[in-house]
Amino acid sequence: MNMIKRNIIIALLICVGVADLAATVHKGKKGVILSEQSLRDKVKGAWAGQTLGCSYGGPTEFKFLGTIIQDHVPIPWDKHRVKYWYDVFPGLYDDVYVDLTFVEVFEKCGLDAPIDSFATAFKQKEYPLWHANQMSRYNLLQGMKAPESGYWKNNPHAHCIDFQIEADFAGIMSPGMPNQAAEICDRTGHIMSYGEGWYGGVYVAAMYSLAYVSDDVEYIVKEALKVIPEESDFHKCMSDVIRWHKKYPKDWKRTWFELQNKWSEEISCPEGIHNSFNIGTKINGAYILLGLLYGQGDFTKTIDISTRAGQDSDCNPASAAGILGTMIGYSNIPEYWKEALCDVEDIPFSHTYMSLNKAYDITYNHACAMLKKYGNEQIGTDFIIKKKSIKPVALEIAFENLKVGDKLSVEKSIDDVNPFSFEGTGLVVKGYVAGGLPAEYTTEMEVYMDGKLYETTYLPQNNNHRKCELFFCYDRPVGKHTVTFKWKNPVANGKIWITEIITYTEK
């Protein structure tokens, strides 16, 4: 009976234009048939591609800032390269292990797991984190709840790349369902990101989702962008990449230069202010598109171009290769790349119980459950994935009406600068606590603004619990302000050092 029903449905789908697994949704089709074998292959291709892209770009990460990695510069690769990174620097795979933390939560708590479940799991992990992720973990450990932990006034790194590199799981578990992928991103991405930082993850997840139901890279890139509000700078930047690709279809470097000219300015991440370093979501998201569009479905070209665009050059090829790996499936990734996974597929990623082989199986199960939950019919071992209109997520604007006023290199202790003044509406103070302090020690520092206590900030020595900056605020009225720091629990030989002061004014 099932076979009869299946044949009838297939016949009906053929009548509306869906005839085989290669069918895509961009030609007016009503749905796509995805077999169990194909679904498994694509899930596996997603995780494998992400891991391979990250491994390939590892040697170049943030070594080429505001410049292309020229073709004559060799990037080493061999069949033991992935195992090398597993052994020498497992923190390279923050792209993957944060993803897998959220996969673990879904496995434990089900598809409707609330944001608090993800935030709790995230803050308890002791793997290395940076930028928006680390600031979010600090906020959570200090008692702040999500999504406040990722909101830009609580997290100067809210526009950083962090969620863009770890939203893969949301798309991998949502085959052909970009709206559902975006909803998962809402529950997870706002833990550490807001505005552009969140949009990067939503867009990447949507591309993964559509890569299950289309074999056309250009369609995937364009269609997925519908999930992002057109008014946002992130949408405008990605649209520019698409437009420039059409104008310069054979020259990715020309498009790279256009991006550098228009979109490379950084006003949020303190490390990128007046600096060639750029960990912003927009520019790095654009480099993902460079690989996808100019790679033309070729796995090697896709990874290489996203890497040679520079900046976060392990994360960007990881996203590009993961999306392409989903589209073509694991079975179509060249053996030259896949053989490097043989040494590691049963080794758990840092501070997780998840290996690649477990990720393949568990995410496949989650994908099947999502397909069933959202009304995609299963006939035998085949899923019929329905086409639905993509809805844009809500508009979010961070660092609104702010511009960088000044950046001062200081290299003085707080005793040598108290009090100091600044003109503007916002302030970020970078620095650190030093003096051979015990690992369990936490500095307590009061911050006075214009003579009144503004906040008491806590500065743990534990590197995984650290605060990324000594102090920041973005909500002062326009004008001149005086700042004073007071160390509440000083210890012998200890010093609180200030390295940089960044001020913001209104546009």
Side-chain angles (χ1 to χ4, degrees), residues 94 98 122 129-140 147-152 154-166 188-194 196-198 268-271 277 279-281 399 466 468-469:
D94 55 336
V98 178
F122 176 76
L129 293 173
W130 298 269
H131 292 266
N133 278 334
Q134 178 56 35
M135 191 63 217
S136 171
R137 181 165 63 182
Y138 169 85
N139 285 340
L140 294 167
E148 286 79 12
S149 55
Y151 186 59
W152 68 276
N154 302 321
N155 193 333
H157 302 271
H159 271 184
C160 291
I161 196 175
D162 301 63
F163 187 57
Q164 182 166 271
I165 73 174
E166 60 211 19
T188 53
H190 282 123
I191 294 171
M192 72 290 294
S193 299
Y194 186 84
E196 291 175 11
W198 184 59
S268 53
C269 174
E271 288 187 43
F277 173 89
I279 199 171
T281 304
F399 307 98
R466 72 192 184 282
C468 297
E469 287 76 34

Side-chain angles (χ1 to χ4, degrees), residues 366-379:
H366 292 171
C368 290
M370 285 286 289
L371 285 166
K372 293 174 184 176
K373 179 178 180 178
Y374 290 98
N376 298 281
E377 192 167 3
Q378 184 175 13
I379 307 299

Side-chain angles (χ1 to χ4, degrees), residues 56-241:
Y56 179 69
T60 66
E61 181 185 17
F62 287 118
K63 292 182 179 177
F64 294 81
L65 308 179
T67 184
I68 288 170
I69 305 173
Q70 296 292 344
D71 296 338
H72 67 267
V73 177
I75 301 175
W77 185 260
D78 59 63
K79 65 180 181 180
H80 301 299
R81 184 61 49 176
V82 179
K83 184 62 163 57
Y84 167 84
W85 289 115
Y86 267 58
D87 293 340
V88 173
F89 182 44
L92 180 72
Y93 297 102
D94 55 336
D95 309 59
V96 186
Y97 55 58
V98 178
D99 271 270
L100 294 178
T101 297
F102 299 141
V103 173
E104 288 176 352
V105 173
F106 277 117
E107 183 67 3
K108 180 180 179 181
C109 302
L111 297 181
D112 296 321
I115 189 171
D116 287 347
S117 297
F118 298 106
T120 298
F122 176 76
K123 78 175 181 181
Q124 291 174 345
K125 294 291 187 180
E126 289 291 335
Y127 39 49
L129 293 173
W130 298 269
H131 292 266
N133 278 334
Q134 178 56 35
M135 191 63 217
S136 171
R137 181 165 63 182
Y138 169 85
N139 285 340
L140 294 167
L141 289 170
Q142 295 301 316
M144 188 180 292
K145 297 289 187 181
E148 286 79 12
S149 55
Y151 186 59
W152 68 276
K153 289 189 177 181
N154 302 321
N155 193 333
H157 302 271
H159 271 184
C160 291
I161 196 175
D162 301 63
F163 187 57
Q164 182 166 271
I165 73 174
E166 60 211 19
D168 314 68
F169 78 98
I172 299 171
M173 67 184 290
S174 306
M177 298 180 290
N179 294 326
Q180 280 64 52
E183 188 280 326
I184 292 170
C185 289
D186 186 32
R187 281 184 277 158
T188 53
H190 282 123
I191 294 171
M192 72 290 294
S193 299
Y194 186 84
E196 291 175 11
W198 184 59
Y199 289 152
V202 175
Y203 183 43
V204 164
M207 286 193 284
Y208 269 98
S209 179
L210 292 175
Y212 281 97
V213 294
S214 175
D215 56 4
D216 183 335
V217 171
E218 289 189 33
Y219 167 78
I220 291 168
V221 165
K222 292 177 184 178
E223 186 72 4
L225 194 54
K226 292 179 180 178
V227 80
I228 306 300
E230 292 183 3
E231 309 96 305
S232 68
D233 280 350
F234 185 87
H235 189 288
K236 293 171 185 175
C237 179
M238 300 308 114
S239 297
D240 276 346
V241 180

Side-chain angles (χ1 to χ4, degrees), residues 183-403:
E183 188 280 326
I184 292 170
C185 289
D186 186 32
R187 281 184 277 158
T188 53
H190 282 123
I191 294 171
M192 72 290 294
S193 299
Y194 186 84
E196 291 175 11
W198 184 59
Y199 289 152
V202 175
Y203 183 43
V204 164
M207 286 193 284
Y208 269 98
S209 179
L210 292 175
Y212 281 97
V213 294
S214 175
D215 56 4
D216 183 335
V217 171
E218 289 189 33
Y219 167 78
I220 291 168
V221 165
K222 292 177 184 178
E223 186 72 4
L225 194 54
K226 292 179 180 178
V227 80
I228 306 300
E230 292 183 3
E231 309 96 305
S232 68
D233 280 350
F234 185 87
H235 189 288
K236 293 171 185 175
C237 179
M238 300 308 114
S239 297
D240 276 346
V241 180
I242 294 167
R243 177 170 58 85
W244 289 326
H245 170 252
K246 187 174 182 179
K247 188 174 182 180
Y248 313 113
K250 303 296 183 181
D251 190 355
W252 73 266
K253 295 176 182 178
R254 175 61 186 269
T255 297
W256 184 95
F257 277 104
E258 297 289 350
L259 281 165
Q260 192 71 9
N261 183 52
K262 184 173 181 180
W263 293 110
S264 62
E265 182 182 7
E266 175 59 63
I267 68 159
S268 53
C269 174
E271 288 187 43
I273 302 299
H274 296 181
N275 195 338
S276 58
F277 173 89
N278 195 327
I279 199 171
T281 304
K282 286 199 306 289
I283 198 72
N284 287 285
Y287 296 164
I288 295 171
L289 296 198
L290 285 182
L292 287 169
L293 290 172
Y294 286 94
Q296 300 176 315
D298 181 286
F299 195 82
T300 299
K301 285 176 63 178
T302 297
I303 286 183
D304 194 56
I305 291 171
S306 281
T307 300
R308 291 185 182 276
Q311 297 291 358
D312 202 344
S313 59
D314 67 322
C315 295
N316 302 329
S319 299
I323 292 163
L324 184 59
T326 308
M327 189 187 88
I328 66 176
Y330 181 86
S331 59
N332 290 310
I333 295 176
E335 193 62 33
Y336 170 77
W337 294 100
K338 286 190 295 189
E339 64 178 358
L341 298 175
C342 297
D343 293 337
V344 302
E345 284 185 302
D346 285 316
I347 301 175
F349 286 91
S350 178
H351 293 84
T352 78
Y353 68 81
M354 288 271 193
S355 64
L356 277 171
N357 278 330
K358 283 190 176 179
Y360 301 154
D361 292 338
I362 291 173
T363 313
Y364 169 77
N365 292 334
H366 292 171
C368 290
M370 285 286 289
L371 285 166
K372 293 174 184 176
K373 179 178 180 178
Y374 290 98
N376 298 281
E377 192 167 3
Q378 184 175 13
I379 307 299
T381 58
D382 294 345
F383 281 99
I384 302 170
I385 302 177
K386 299 181 294 185
K387 179 183 177 181
K388 292 186 178 179
S389 298
I390 298 177
K391 301 176 182 178
V393 297
L395 180 64
E396 296 181 354
I397 301 176
F399 307 98
E400 189 173 13
N401 296 323
L402 290 178
K403 68 176 182 178

Side-chain angles (χ1 to χ4, degrees), residues 412-419 485-487 490 494-498:
K412 293 182 179 180
S413 75
I414 61 168
D415 298 328
D416 298 325
V417 301
N418 276 333
F485 296 121
K486 181 180 179 181
W487 193 352
K495 289 278 189 180
I496 301 177
W497 290 98
I498 294 177

